[in-house]
Amino acid sequence: DAGVTQSPTHLIKTRGQQVTLRCSPISGHKSVSWYQQVLGQGPQFIFQYYEKEERGRGNFPDRFSARQFPNYSSELNVNALLLGDSALYLCASSLPGELFFGEGSRLTVL
Amino acid sequence: DQQVKQNSPSLSVQEGRISILNCDYTNSMFDYFLWYKKYPAEGPTFLISISSIKDKNEDGRFTVFLNKSAKHLSLHIVPSQPGDSAVYFCAASADGGTSYGKLTFGQGTILTVHP
């Protein structure tokens, strides 16, 4: 069975640009969450979507947005990139009590 | 405001010995706790969890202990193996594990198991 898949795996952007990250959950999972992991820190919750509706939002600026599609895949968008947005962005699909993470998208902002 | 804290950035253990990783939390609403392991270039992998109605949960070499009065939990790995070398994250939920994805993570502890 395919796990959580994310694309792209690595990308480099410059300050002020916009980025879109994509995630496909495990088949049958209807919930997708996004996390940001800065080097040396634990993952920080950004968004949670369930059945295409936003169920939770972490303490991130409005430059961060997301959506979930009818097939339960999801996109995370970040506008007006800052150097501090450089991080590993993790997508997770979930069952009650457990998150299954993808390998992440490593974003570098120059 | 760090609601979940792992105060030891790293831990080094000899193969065959016990590894004890610690985690403290401040939010009294947390009622479900999880441990994840992360290798470089991979996403975190679920290890073991515990509900606040229990004080111990065991799964093979892994045991998690919860002390609610102290707001402290620990992960014991016995015996430790070189393949256990990874970053370990403690995480907490305020919805009894049914939050469908909203967890608060600690900073992580790098475990190194020497042969």
Side-chain angles (χ1 to χ4, degrees):
Chain A
D1 284 342
V4 178
T5 57
Q6 293 187 242
S7 63
T9 54
H10 295 81
L11 69 166
I12 299 173
K13 293 284 187 178
T14 57
R15 281 178 296 175
Q17 285 189 311
Q18 176 264 342
V19 67
T20 297
L21 308 177
R22 296 175 176 83
C23 172
S24 293
I26 294 171
S27 178
H29 289 195
K30 300 179 180 178
S31 175
V32 168
S33 299
W34 287 94
Y35 287 78
Q36 180 196 64
Q37 187 183 7
V38 174
L39 194 63
Q41 298 292 321
Q44 263 202 295
F45 173 75
I46 310 175
F47 284 110
Q48 177 199 345
Y49 277 78
Y50 180 74
E51 287 278 18
K52 302 182 290 295
E53 290 190 2
E54 182 182 303
R55 287 294 187 89
R57 172 185 286 253
N59 188 23
F60 281 81
D62 292 343
R63 299 185 295 108
F64 288 75
S65 63
R67 55 181 176 168
Q68 187 177 32
F69 299 99
N71 65 354
Y72 303 112
S73 67
S74 178
E75 286 183 352
L76 175 70
N77 295 283
V78 186
N79 294 322
L81 285 167
L82 303 174
L83 296 179
D85 295 330
S86 295
L88 180 68
Y89 288 86
L90 294 162
C91 174
S93 68
S94 57
L95 296 172
E98 188 175 343
L99 285 181
F100 299 86
F101 284 92
E103 295 185 357
S105 293
R106 170 84 51 196
L107 171 64
T108 302
V109 182
L110 302 177
Chain B
D1 178 25
Q2 192 77 26
Q3 297 186 54
V4 178
K5 297 181 182 180
Q6 295 176 253
N7 292 317
S8 297
S10 63
L11 175 68
S12 183
V13 171
Q14 204 70 28
E15 180 179 6
R17 300 291 188 102
I18 184 172
S19 295
I20 301 176
L21 297 103
N22 294 303
C23 178
D24 297 296
Y25 61 96
T26 58
N27 189 339
S28 300
M29 300 301 292
F30 289 146
D31 57 6
Y32 195 79
F33 304 89
L34 308 90
W35 284 93
Y36 280 83
K37 177 170 73 172
K38 187 179 185 301
Y39 294 117
E42 295 184 9
T45 303
F46 171 77
L47 268 178
I48 192 169
S49 63
I50 187 168
S51 165
S52 61
I53 62 174
K54 295 184 176 181
D55 54 19
K56 176 183 175 181
N57 189 26
E58 193 171 352
D59 184 2
R61 295 186 298 114
F62 303 91
T63 303
V64 57
F65 296 91
L66 175 62
N67 182 334
K68 289 187 291 296
S69 60
K71 294 190 175 66
H72 177 84
L73 63 156
S74 61
L75 174 68
H76 293 211
I77 307 174
V78 182
S80 301
Q81 301 173 352
D84 296 329
S85 298
V87 180
Y88 287 78
F89 292 102
C90 168
S93 163
D95 296 304
T98 62
S99 65
Y100 282 95
K102 184 178 178 181
L103 295 181
T104 302
F105 282 83
Q107 311 96 305
T109 297
I110 301 171
L111 173 66
T112 303
V113 180
H114 299 282

